[in-house]
Amino acid sequence: MSWEENVRTVVPYTAGEQPNKADMVKLNTNECPYPPAPGVERAAAGLDYRQLRLYPDPDTGVLTKVLAEYYHVKPEQVFVGVGSDDVLSMAFMTFFNGPLPVLFPDVTYSFYDVWAQLHGIPYKTCALDENWHICPRDYRQPNGGVVFPNPNAPTGLLEDLGTVEEIVAANRDVVVIVDEAYVDFGGVSALPLLKKYDNLLVVQTFSKSRAMAGMRIGFCIGSEKMIRYLQDVKFSFNSYTMNLPAQILGAEAVRDDAYFKETTARIVATRERVKGELKKLGFSFPDSSANFIFATHGHIPAERIFRALREADIYVRYWNKPRISNYLRITIGTEEQMERLLDFLKKYVDKNRKIC
């Protein structure tokens, strides 16, 4: 008998490529192109390194309180984790323990099936319609829980609050997780529904709109009972999940609301301009409410464009997967970064038009 017979094997999540070149344009991992809030920089400069000899607050009290105040909920309704991936994994582990399959879309965040396999959770995917929208009736079948992003990834499409509520209301006997990683770029949060539904968990992240992917901060908001269950699992797994600098700097990011709104507005404005330019070049895409565009070209294969961009040190995301193998996910960067992308695409499309 080999020790390998007792190894848990899973197909891991594949993250976006992380190149490190001086003159590259990195538009493949949906990071914020702008720095964190000025208050974050000031707080980082004022950190007392001597405090690092002590364990951080296991309850993440400072950050939890700031989040509760910002979103007008009780601190007991907030759970903080090391990025929203950590929060989602904990939620899978906590709430999806029944014999029935967890439901999520067929085209969605590709970590969901990884967590399901890792934690031994049965799951079933529900196909998005021909316009990339969720079909609420698909979530009326017997299930052990529901999870979906809104806006969706990688499509960027937003489901209206009525659709979200229809799914939550139809599944009162299980937990429904709405993953709002991109909601700050034009979405409508499901948080108001928490007043009506104690089976709803809303997950958000600091990695996109708050420009702090490097600090790994995520959180969720739900009923007090739901958060207590999550805390029990967390403290059974690792009491000190979030380091001290992340707690302090995260709180500062939330406090500077003016900078947050200014930055997200800049990204949205750039996104809308780039949509128009891409249409002129023959691209089509769902109407994104996220910080990226999910685009396909009328006659040039996505993989060919992806490889050409990569050779020019312009990185976007491509998946060779069913239904999306002819699409590119393009993160919205600075105006300068997007101009470089568009300049390349204009020349590339024109060159391929002549060849055709």
Side-chain angles (χ1 to χ4, degrees), residues 300-337:
I300 308 174
E303 185 173 10
R304 195 196 307 171
I305 300 173
F306 166 75
R307 295 189 183 283
L309 285 166
R310 194 173 184 278
E311 289 177 5
D313 288 333
I314 302 173
Y315 294 84
V316 298
R317 195 78 193 267
Y318 171 75
W319 292 272
N320 186 14
K321 290 185 174 183
R323 296 193 70 185
I324 62 172
S325 61
N326 202 32
Y327 282 80
L328 300 172
R329 192 193 68 189
I330 305 168
T331 302
I332 302 302
T334 63
E335 283 288 336
E336 294 76 16
Q337 288 175 320

Side-chain angles (χ1 to χ4, degrees), residues 48-247:
D48 181 357
Y49 80 97
R50 291 170 296 185
Q51 294 183 47
L52 300 182
R53 68 183 181 82
L54 303 173
Y55 283 112
D57 176 8
D59 294 316
T60 61
V62 172
L63 181 54
T64 296
K65 182 181 178 183
V66 169
L67 285 168
E69 291 173 351
Y70 187 85
Y71 290 102
H72 307 293
V73 296
K74 299 177 182 178
E76 293 80 12
Q77 290 181 263
V78 180
F79 175 88
V80 175
V82 185
S84 61
D85 287 341
D86 178 51
V87 174
L88 285 161
S89 181
M90 288 280 181
F92 271 53
M93 197 187 315
T94 304
F95 301 117
F96 297 159
N97 289 290
L100 295 175
V102 171
L103 305 179
F104 47 84
D106 64 333
V107 178
T108 193
Y109 185 31
S110 53
F111 227 140
Y112 296 156
D113 59 345
V114 174
W115 287 317
Q117 293 173 48
L118 180 64
H119 298 308
I121 300 167
Y123 69 92
K124 180 179 179 181
T125 60
C126 302
L128 300 177
D129 68 18
E130 65 276 9
N131 296 313
W132 303 110
H133 279 289
I134 285 176
C135 302
R137 65 180 178 275
D138 292 340
Y139 296 85
R140 291 182 175 272
Q141 61 184 295
N143 66 78
V146 175
V147 57
F148 59 91
N150 197 37
N152 195 14
T155 65
L157 269 180
L158 177 73
E159 302 294 344
D160 63 46
L161 202 55
T163 298
V164 175
E165 182 168 11
E166 182 177 349
I167 294 171
V168 177
N171 291 279
R172 294 303 304 271
D173 57 341
V174 298
V175 171
V176 178
I177 300 174
V178 181
D179 181 357
E180 295 186 343
Y182 302 100
V183 75
D184 296 322
F185 300 103
V188 177
S189 177
L191 284 171
L193 297 179
L194 291 172
K195 296 176 182 178
K196 295 173 63 176
Y197 302 99
D198 64 354
N199 63 315
L200 172 64
L201 191 71
V202 178
V203 180
Q204 294 191 17
T205 178
F206 283 47
S207 296
K208 319 299 182 185
S209 55
R210 297 193 185 276
M212 296 187 72
M215 291 305 298
R216 311 306 301 127
I217 304 172
F219 65 97
C220 64
I221 300 176
S223 68
E224 293 181 52
K225 180 184 288 187
M226 189 176 285
I227 298 305
R228 282 199 301 271
Y229 281 127
L230 270 172
Q231 295 284 18
D232 287 346
V233 171
K234 169 190 171 180
F235 289 127
S236 300
F237 182 77
N238 182 356
S239 297
Y240 304 104
T241 52
M242 177 167 287
N243 64 63
L244 176 64
Q247 295 185 37

